[in-house]
């Protein structure tokens, strides 16, 4: 997608001293651009005593065990159908690579704002350090891209967003050199996450009853993975003394196929919205990944797997930092549509209409800026 198109659909603001969440950890005087009290208090969050409160847990070691694989694959499929989310344990990702990524992310967000802004998002673009996405009304006409301080609301967060795959798509101007190990950490972590996504997709294909290579090809292309699309977001949610007045990340679904989230700490904040409209807090398990289905995988699975709305609320006293990898469905042939094998095998009608990937990307970003759900517009009458 041409960066020039971003101006038409969605914006990211540069972080300034006036609207830096990390600059207000100990005050109850929250800047007006963050105040969203009515939105927070209007939502219903379930308590720990609620039945079926816990997010499903899937064990990669069991998936790989010939004697346990069938039952664990069924558990994986159930999680994707019923929740759209699960926590993945015993995932086999290199611990040293994970730790280097954690250390680099923590060091980056501990830098002064001036140093982080060395890789700041630019006007009309999405990559770099800045706030989360905002609607078009949040943009300003100033060359610095700082945003109108009296327009759209901001999330209580700072974010470094980067294109990580294919390698040729990387814009190294936005890859931090401080801390010095950050670039190597990103590179190694990106490769590990692509491998993990491949393994998971194989078991998802088995659950869906489709050829493994067909589902993998939808993400990685038919060759050696040069068609792979991957984006990484490194998010920091500073503490907020008035957590009932701000939102860390606005409710949304993920556009991409598969999302892999790594917590740097055990601070809660992520919440998943279930069918009855209530929010279920996620308690991160030590060493586990939180994995969720994105809109593109929802389409590919012909609505068998669910892409569900989620959000982040900040903690009153503790910061929360995450590294999120979005493994995108590359849409071989440039068209996103339900897998033909699913339609033929079960004589199922398509639940979503086909759409060119470029139009899909534009539509999603436009809907994100407007606070609407683009996936709903792709539903067919058989949905």
């Amino acid at each position: 997608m041409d960066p020039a198109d971003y101006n038409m659909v969605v914006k990211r603001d540069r972080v300034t001293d006036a609207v830096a969440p990390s600059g207000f950890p100990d005050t109850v005087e929250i800047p007006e651009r963050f105040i969203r009290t009515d939105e927070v208090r209007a939502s219903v969050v379930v308590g720990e005593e609620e039945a079926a409160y816990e997010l499903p847990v899937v064990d990669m070691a069991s998936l790989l065990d010939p004697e346990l694989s069938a039952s664990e694959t069924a558990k994986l499929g159930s999680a994707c159908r019923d929740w759209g989310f699960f926590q993945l344990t015993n995932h086999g990702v290199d611990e040293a690579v994970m730790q280097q990524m954690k250390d680099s992310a923590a060091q980056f967000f501990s830098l002064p704002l001036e140093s982080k802004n060395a890789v700041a998002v630019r006007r009309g673009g999405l990559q770099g350090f800045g706030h989360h996405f905002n609607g078009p009304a949040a943009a300003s006409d100033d060359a610095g891209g700082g945003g109108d301080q009296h327009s759209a609301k901001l999330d209580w967060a700072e974010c470094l967003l980067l294109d990580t795959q294919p390698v040729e798509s990387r814009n190294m101007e936005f890859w931090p050199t401080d801390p010095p190990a950050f670039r190597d950490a990103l590179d190694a972590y990106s490769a590990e996450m692509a491998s993990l996504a491949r393994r998971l997709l194989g078991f998802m294909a088995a659950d869906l009853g489709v050829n493994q290579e067909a589902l993998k090809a939808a993400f990685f292309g038919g060759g050696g993975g040069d068609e792979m699309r991957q984006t990484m977001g490194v998010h920091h949610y500073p503490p907020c003394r008035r957590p009932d007045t701000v939102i860390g990340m606005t409710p949304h679904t993920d556009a991409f196929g598969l999302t892999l989230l790594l917590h740097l700490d055990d601070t809660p904040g992520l919440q998943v919205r279930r069918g009855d409209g209530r929010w279920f807090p996620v308690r991160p398990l030590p060493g586990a990944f939180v994995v969720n289905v994105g809109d593109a995988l929802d389409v590919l699975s012909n609505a068998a797997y669910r892409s569900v709305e989620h959000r982040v609320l900040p903690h009153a006293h503790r910061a929360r930092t995450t590294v999120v990898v979005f493994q995108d469905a590359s849409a071989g042939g440039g068209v996103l549509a339900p897998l033909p094998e699913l339609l033929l095998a079960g004589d199922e009608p398509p639940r979503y209409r086909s759409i060119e990937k470029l139009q899909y990307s534009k539509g999603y970003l436009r809907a994100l800026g407007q606070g609407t759900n683009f996936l709903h517009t792709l539903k067919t009458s058989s949905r």
Side-chain angles (χ1 to χ4, degrees):
M1 186 171 177
D2 190 327
D5 292 331
Y6 295 142
N7 276 324
M8 301 168 53
V9 291
V10 73
K11 298 281 186 175
R12 287 190 68 208
D13 282 0
R14 183 186 179 109
V15 179
T16 66
D17 288 327
V19 285
S22 56
F24 305 96
D26 300 315
T27 180
V28 295
E29 297 298 325
I30 307 298
E32 180 61 30
R33 286 202 68 191
F34 294 105
I35 299 294
R36 299 162 74 175
T37 307
D38 292 344
E39 187 177 347
V40 177
R41 293 181 179 175
S43 59
V44 178
V45 181
V46 304
E48 296 185 13
E49 71 283 354
E50 182 80 17
Y53 170 81
E54 293 290 350
L55 203 66
V57 177
V58 176
D59 180 28
M60 179 62 81
S62 295
L63 287 172
L64 296 170
D65 186 326
E67 296 184 0
L68 302 174
S69 185
S71 60
E72 199 68 18
T73 299
K75 185 189 295 186
L76 167 66
S78 177
C80 293
R81 287 176 168 82
D82 298 338
W83 280 84
F85 269 79
F86 59 91
Q87 298 204 63
L88 183 69
T89 59
N90 296 315
H91 41 72
V93 176
D94 189 305
E95 291 289 341
V97 171
M98 289 176 60
Q99 192 59 52
Q100 186 182 36
M101 187 69 250
K102 287 182 177 182
D103 292 344
S104 294
Q107 291 165 18
F108 175 78
F109 284 115
S110 69
L111 295 172
L113 179 58
E114 180 181 0
S115 298
K116 290 181 285 191
N117 271 332
V119 290
V121 63
R122 295 175 185 169
R123 183 183 180 190
L126 297 183
Q127 292 195 73
F129 171 75
H131 290 284
H132 286 158
F133 298 112
N134 296 296
S140 74
D141 293 327
D142 64 67
D148 180 354
Q149 302 304 305
H150 304 286
S151 60
K153 297 296 184 179
L154 293 171
D155 290 344
W156 190 264
E158 299 172 349
C159 170
L160 175 66
L161 185 63
L162 301 169
D163 288 340
T164 47
Q165 296 289 347
V167 174
E168 295 76 19
S169 74
R170 295 175 177 175
N171 188 336
M172 303 308 291
E173 293 181 58
F174 298 108
W175 283 51
T177 56
D178 188 8
F182 206 165
R183 288 188 172 187
D184 288 341
L186 285 167
D187 184 55
Y189 190 73
S190 170
E192 285 281 337
M193 291 299 97
S195 296
L196 179 58
R198 280 182 183 273
R199 292 195 295 274
L200 277 173
L201 288 167
F203 292 108
M204 290 177 176
D207 173 70
L208 291 167
V210 300
N211 183 277
Q212 288 191 19
E213 295 310 313
L215 183 57
K216 290 180 181 178
F219 282 78
F220 297 97
D226 55 337
E227 300 174 47
M228 172 175 59
R229 294 290 181 270
Q230 184 194 76
T231 303
M232 191 179 300
V234 190
H235 304 278
H236 181 67
Y237 305 90
C240 179
R241 291 305 176 97
R242 295 176 61 193
D244 60 338
T245 65
V246 302
I247 290 181
M249 181 175 283
T250 301
H252 67 287
T253 60
D254 294 338
F256 305 107
L258 198 63
T259 302
L260 306 156
L261 181 150
L262 173 68
H263 286 91
L264 271 66
D265 45 62
D266 61 356
T267 304
L270 177 63
Q271 297 182 349
V272 177
R273 177 177 258 169
R274 304 216 65 190
D276 61 3
R278 295 180 300 168
W279 293 98
F280 283 71
V282 175
R283 286 198 292 259
L285 297 176
F289 285 99
V290 175
V291 182
N292 69 277
V293 174
D295 291 354
L297 182 53
D298 192 321
V299 173
L300 288 166
S301 71
N302 200 32
Y305 287 177
R306 298 176 53 209
S307 176
V308 301
E309 199 172 32
H310 50 284
R311 69 178 184 180
V312 175
L313 296 185
H315 195 277
H317 306 289
R318 295 155 54 191
R320 177 177 182 266
T321 306
T322 60
V323 180
V324 187
V325 169
F326 305 99
Q327 199 69 49
D328 195 10
S330 58
V335 176
L336 180 64
L339 290 170
E341 192 176 350
L342 279 175
L343 306 182
L344 294 173
D347 195 26
E348 282 283 326
R351 306 293 181 180
Y352 295 108
R353 61 181 175 87
S354 302
I355 184 172
E356 292 185 356
K357 190 64 189 296
L358 178 59
Q359 295 305 313
Y360 169 81
S361 298
K362 288 183 177 181
Y364 174 84
L365 288 173
R366 184 176 294 108
L368 183 67
Q370 297 170 346
T372 59
N373 189 310
F374 182 65
L375 185 63
H376 290 171
T377 70
L378 301 181
K379 294 178 180 178
T380 65
S381 57
S382 59
R383 170 76 173 183

